Amino acid sequence: TDSDVVNSGSYKYAAFLWATVPGISKVGSYTGNSSGTNSGSNQNIDCGFSNGARFVLIKGTTVTSAWAVFDTQRGIISAEDPILQLHVPSVEYDGNNGGSDYIDPHSSGFTVLATGGGDINEQGKTYIFYAIAT
């Protein structure tokens, strides 16, 4: 391409390539529904894992959003979640200081809980994800 957005000789670029490996990793997408914690309409994302997800990366494709990272080292738990945003050079956002419960693990993947907002669950918007099993 002749676009300097992806092909300029004066810039450095990185490409991230992921693949689904059954039982180990999952690449997929979902449509946001603005569900909230305990709303009864949370989104269970089935990754085909036997013990849930230990790492989840989510990015909106039809909405401006951050690359949101959740993992067991930071605490994917059934409570407020720390979140790492790859476009921000600062430290992670500590969900335990007034944050939100964005996602929870479940036996075969993860559940999207957060309401509204473009980062992971805006109504009708498409999101891609990469998840790694525990």
Side-chain angles (χ1 to χ4, degrees):
T1 180
D2 62 0
S3 171
D4 65 359
V5 174
V6 295
N7 197 24
S8 172
S10 60
Y11 294 103
K12 293 181 180 180
Y13 299 94
F16 298 97
L17 308 173
W18 296 292
T20 296
V21 178
I24 297 172
S25 64
K26 175 73 175 179
V27 176
S29 66
Y30 64 90
T31 301
N33 68 0
S34 294
S35 65
T37 305
N38 300 320
S39 71
S41 62
N42 297 328
Q43 296 198 63
N44 290 320
I45 309 299
D46 185 353
C47 298
F49 301 156
S50 59
N51 291 316
R54 69 177 164 108
F55 174 92
V56 179
L57 173 66
I58 300 172
K59 174 72 170 102
T61 62
T62 59
V63 63
T64 301
S65 70
W67 287 92
V69 175
F70 305 92
D71 61 38
T72 55
Q73 289 298 109
R74 287 179 182 77
I76 299 176
I77 56 172
S78 296
E80 294 179 333
D81 301 315
I83 181 173
L84 180 64
Q85 296 177 322
L86 299 183
H87 72 294
V88 178
S90 61
V91 297
E92 70 193 34
Y93 172 73
D94 184 356
N96 294 315
N97 292 325
S100 296
D101 190 7
Y102 296 100
I103 69 172
D104 283 344
H106 72 74
S107 61
S108 66
F110 63 98
T111 300
V112 178
L113 300 169
T115 61
D119 284 346
I120 68 167
N121 199 26
E122 187 174 335
Q123 179 71 36
K125 303 300 181 181
T126 302
Y127 297 86
I128 56 173
F129 69 87
Y130 174 62
I132 299 174
T134 57

